[in-house]
């Protein structure tokens, strides 16, 4: 990661927003059988903070996806390299993802998890990055809306760099 970067979202703002999302999710799902499905690796820090702020117990599972950007098919460019392991049938499922850009990845994952016949299937993303969206995927809980730019930190990486930064940065184009 050679690029210069500037801080876009501070740790305080992240913490405040994650707490708000956790409260909303707790209100909506309290007392229900909820499985959160985190998308590795980008969502691991967001998910870890989010679950610890929930006011009721949930179960956790993970998927790992490989996305090939720039394709023409809305789903064909994504591969599952690690699938869910918990049973999802008839359970409430909430996907937790770091960032939605074009929309291929989350759209693919929603379609894939829908084949398990969950009772409900919703999405929670830390960042909704608008500019390049091609697939309109429903976003039920959104942390921050960003127009464009390549972001790193708080789980988000650029070629594996920047993931462990506690704030979110935007890389300068140069
Ligand atoms: P898309 O919505 O199919 O374009 O894919 C979203 C995925 O691309 C995310 O899960 C991230 O892994 C990656 N991605 C998109 N934008 C960014 C970014 O700004 N920083 C880091 N990863 C990104
Ligand atoms: Mg990702």
């Amino acid at each position: 990661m050679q690029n210069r970067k500037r801080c876009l979202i501070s740790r305080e703002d992240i913490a405040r927003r994650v707490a708000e999302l956790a409260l909303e999710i707790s209100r909506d799902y309290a007392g229900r059988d909820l499985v959160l499905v985190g998308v590795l690796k980008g969502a691991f820090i967001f998910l870890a903070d989010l679950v610890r702020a929930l006011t009721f117990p949930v179960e956790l599972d993970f998927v790992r996806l490989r996305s090939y950007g720039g394709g023409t098919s809305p789903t064909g460019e994504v591969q599952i390299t690690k699938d869910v392991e918990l049973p999802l049938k008839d359970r409430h499922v909430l996907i937790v993802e770091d960032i939605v850009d074009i929309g291929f990845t989350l759209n693919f994952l929603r379609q894939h998890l829908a084949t398990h016949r969950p009772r409900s299937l919703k999405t929670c993303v830390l960042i909704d990055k608008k500019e390049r969206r091609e697939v309109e995927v429903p976003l039920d809980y959104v942390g921050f809306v960003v127009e464009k730019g390549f972001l790193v930190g708080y789980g988000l990486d650029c070629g594996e760099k920047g993931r462990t930064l506690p704030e979110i940065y935007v890389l300068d184009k140069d």
Side-chain angles (χ1 to χ4, degrees):
M1 202 173 63
Q2 305 261 323
N3 315 50
R4 286 211 307 266
K5 59 186 189 305
R6 72 183 161 83
C7 187
L8 190 69
I9 310 171
S10 69
R11 346 167 39 143
E12 293 75 23
D13 286 349
I14 295 170
R16 194 177 312 121
R17 191 67 193 116
V18 170
E20 287 170 1
L21 288 174
L23 201 63
E24 244 188 278
I25 292 167
S26 297
R27 285 194 189 125
D28 293 350
Y29 288 97
R32 297 201 180 155
D33 176 27
L34 177 63
V35 182
L36 298 193
V37 176
V39 184
L40 295 171
K41 302 179 198 174
F44 88 106
I45 295 180
F46 175 40
L47 182 69
D49 284 344
L50 187 72
V51 292
R52 287 177 297 168
L54 294 175
T55 61
F56 69 109
V58 297
E59 291 184 22
L60 291 183
D61 208 342
F62 294 92
V63 294
R64 179 124 197 240
L65 304 171
R66 182 177 294 146
S67 308
Y68 302 94
T72 48
S73 147
T75 58
E77 309 298 320
V78 185
Q79 241 183 23
I80 301 171
T81 59
K82 185 232 167 291
D83 207 345
V84 284
E85 293 167 33
L86 293 177
L88 302 182
K89 190 169 185 317
D90 296 328
R91 311 182 74 183
H92 296 284
V93 173
L94 180 61
I95 299 170
V96 180
E97 170 66 309
D98 53 0
I99 184 165
V100 193
D101 183 14
I102 296 169
F104 287 165
T105 310
L106 196 56
N107 185 54
F108 171 88
L109 183 59
R110 275 189 93 255
Q111 289 184 11
H112 172 67
L113 295 182
T115 66
H116 288 257
R117 302 269 165 243
R119 185 153 177 197
S120 71
L121 179 58
K122 291 196 172 183
T123 57
C124 173
V125 301
L126 180 65
I127 295 161
D128 174 5
K129 188 165 77 175
K130 295 277 192 195
E131 189 187 52
R132 306 201 306 156
R133 188 72 35 82
E134 286 180 32
V135 183
E136 281 315 319
V137 49
L139 305 179
D140 299 289
Y141 303 93
V142 174
F144 300 95
V145 176
V146 168
E147 191 49 35
K148 59 184 175 183
F150 201 87
L151 311 186
V152 298
Y154 198 68
L156 293 151
D157 74 308
C158 177
E160 294 302 325
K161 306 293 185 209
R163 210 188 276 289
T164 59
L165 294 164
E167 305 84 13
I168 294 173
Y169 293 82
V170 60
L171 297 185
D172 284 344
K173 271 188 265 173
D174 51 27

